[in-house]
Amino acid sequence: MPDTTASLSWKDYYELCKPRVVALIVFTAIVGMLLAVPGMPPLANFLYGTVGIGLAASSAAAINHFLDQKADAEMARTKNRPLPTGHLQPRQVLVFASLIGFIAMAILTIKINLLTAFLTFLSLIGYALIYTVYLKRATPQNIVIGGAAGAAPPVLGWAAITGEVHPHALLLFLIIFVWTPPHFWALAIAKRDEYAKVSIPMLPVTHGVEFTRLQILLYTILLLISTLLPYLTGMSGLIYLATALLLGLGFIYYAIQMMRKKDNKTAMRTFGYSIIYLMLIFAALLIDHYFPLSIS
């Protein structure tokens, strides 16, 4: 029995970190690190930066669990999280979040640089407190404004290697910032009844599903345009350009399908595609960086 309890506790703490979300955050931060220099970045900065950013993101996720525990208990999608089920107590979650957050800031401050630590701290506060406590329940534009925190990881990764915020890093920020609304609104459409139940004013709840579908389509068009900027500014080459065009047109196709079919299944497929989209477009940036296609 003690072994089972220990195993359950470990899994609960792991779930507090929102591992799938944090994995995507860390991946985009790593891409930012690798794109920051022509060759390979310094190994120490790479390792400490990855751990520090990952722990900070995990801390923000755990704080989000703590602050959203009442709403999570009422939503089918989140009712099995550690706090609603009683597997963990609020105090345990706060101690865990504070501990890994402190370790993250210490690593980034001592082993990386103050700029990265400061920007990471702002991102943590932006998501865990400003978005979760205020924006999420204050405006249907919550995910648009709050998306700035989620778009920061490539900038953090870049700063961890170079100690500066480069314009190319801001292009990576822009891509994630524009990607976030159509990504999350697709999920919000499918789960709109749950959000309405807990009085969270997501766009499909406040402005209707049809309006939200239109916004998703418009944002996917804007996203396609935004993803051309790395090529147009000379940051990337033809491999990235071809990938961005194909993936962007694919996202627009899914958005059009949502306009036509109007069912939750299509919305969830669009949500799933959006995750694959972001992973592949950042992977394309990386491939183009190290293996550019030259045409003689």
Side-chain angles (χ1 to χ4, degrees), residues 133-232:
V133 174
Y134 176 69
L135 288 174
K136 191 171 184 178
R137 291 166 175 80
T139 169
Q141 292 298 310
N142 46 21
I143 203 64
V144 178
I145 304 169
V155 180
L156 306 181
W158 200 295
I161 302 302
T162 65
E164 66 174 3
V165 177
H166 194 278
H168 285 168
L170 295 178
L171 290 182
L172 303 180
F173 172 94
L174 177 64
I175 290 171
I176 301 178
F177 183 74
V178 178
W179 164 86
T180 302
H183 157 72
F184 202 88
W185 282 336
L187 174 67
I189 285 176
K191 306 297 181 182
R192 59 190 179 278
D193 292 338
E194 294 187 30
Y195 285 116
K197 180 181 178 182
V198 294
S199 301
I200 295 178
M202 289 299 176
L203 194 64
V205 175
T206 60
H207 288 67
V209 174
E210 291 302 317
F211 179 80
T212 307
R213 288 193 179 106
L214 176 60
Q215 295 302 304
I216 289 173
L217 176 59
L218 294 176
Y219 265 92
T220 55
I221 295 171
L222 180 60
L223 180 60
L224 175 59
I225 296 170
S226 300
T227 56
L228 298 181
L229 292 176
Y231 174 78
L232 295 175

Side-chain angles (χ1 to χ4, degrees), residues 83-123:
L83 279 172
T85 58
H87 291 167
L88 292 176
Q89 297 303 310
R91 183 176 178 277
Q92 293 174 297
V93 175
L94 275 183
V95 170
F96 175 73
S98 301
L99 178 62
I100 62 174
F102 176 80
I103 294 172
M105 291 301 106
I107 290 173
L108 294 175
T109 301
I110 297 170
K111 295 296 186 179
I112 304 297
N113 54 62
L114 286 175
L115 176 62
T116 305
F118 176 69
L119 293 176
T120 302
F121 180 74
L122 286 183
S123 299

Side-chain angles (χ1 to χ4, degrees), residues 48-94:
Y48 284 121
T50 300
V51 172
I53 293 168
L55 285 176
S58 298
S59 175
I63 294 171
N64 177 264
H65 273 267
F66 172 79
L67 294 172
D68 267 352
Q69 56 184 296
K70 290 183 179 179
D72 286 347
E74 297 183 44
M75 298 174 66
R77 184 172 67 91
T78 55
K79 66 180 182 180
N80 291 321
R81 285 178 173 176
L83 279 172
T85 58
H87 291 167
L88 292 176
Q89 297 303 310
R91 183 176 178 277
Q92 293 174 297
V93 175
L94 275 183

